[in-house]
Coordinates of all heavy atoms in Angstrom, one line a residue:
P99 N 72.1 20.9 -78.7 CA 70.8 20.8 -79.3 C 70.0 19.5 -79.0 O 68.8 19.5 -78.7 CB 71.0 21.0 -80.7 CG 72.3 21.8 -80.8 CD 73.1 21.3 -79.6
I105 N 64.8 16.8 -74.0 CA 64.0 17.4 -72.9 C 62.5 17.6 -73.4 O 61.6 17.3 -72.7 CB 64.6 18.6 -72.3 CG1 65.9 18.3 -71.5 CG2 63.6 19.4 -71.4 CD1 66.8 19.5 -71.1
L180 N 49.4 25.4 -49.5 CA 49.3 26.2 -50.7 C 49.1 27.6 -50.3 O 48.4 27.9 -49.3 CB 48.1 25.8 -51.6 CG 48.2 24.3 -52.1 CD1 46.8 24.0 -52.7 CD2 49.3 24.2 -53.2
Y213 N 46.9 25.7 -59.8 CA 47.7 26.4 -60.9 C 46.8 27.2 -61.8 O 47.2 28.3 -62.3 CB 48.5 25.3 -61.7 CG 49.7 24.7 -61.1 CD1 50.1 23.4 -61.3 CD2 50.5 25.5 -60.3 CE1 51.2 22.9 -60.7 CE2 51.7 25.0 -59.7 CZ 52.0 23.7 -59.9 OH 53.2 23.2 -59.3
S291 N 74.9 33.7 -69.7 CA 76.1 33.8 -70.6 C 77.1 34.8 -70.1 O 78.3 34.8 -70.5 CB 75.6 34.0 -72.0 OG 74.9 35.2 -72.1
P359 N 59.5 22.6 -26.8 CA 59.0 23.9 -26.9 C 59.1 24.5 -28.4 O 58.3 25.3 -28.8 CB 59.9 24.8 -26.0 CG 61.1 23.9 -25.8 CD 60.7 22.5 -26.0
D370 N 71.0 14.6 -29.6 CA 71.7 14.3 -28.3 C 71.3 12.9 -27.7 O 72.1 12.2 -27.3 CB 71.4 15.4 -27.2 CG 72.1 16.7 -27.6 OD1 72.9 16.7 -28.5 OD2 71.7 17.7 -27.0

Side-chain angles (χ1 to χ4, degrees):
I105 289 171
L180 295 167
Y213 282 145
S291 57
D370 291 346

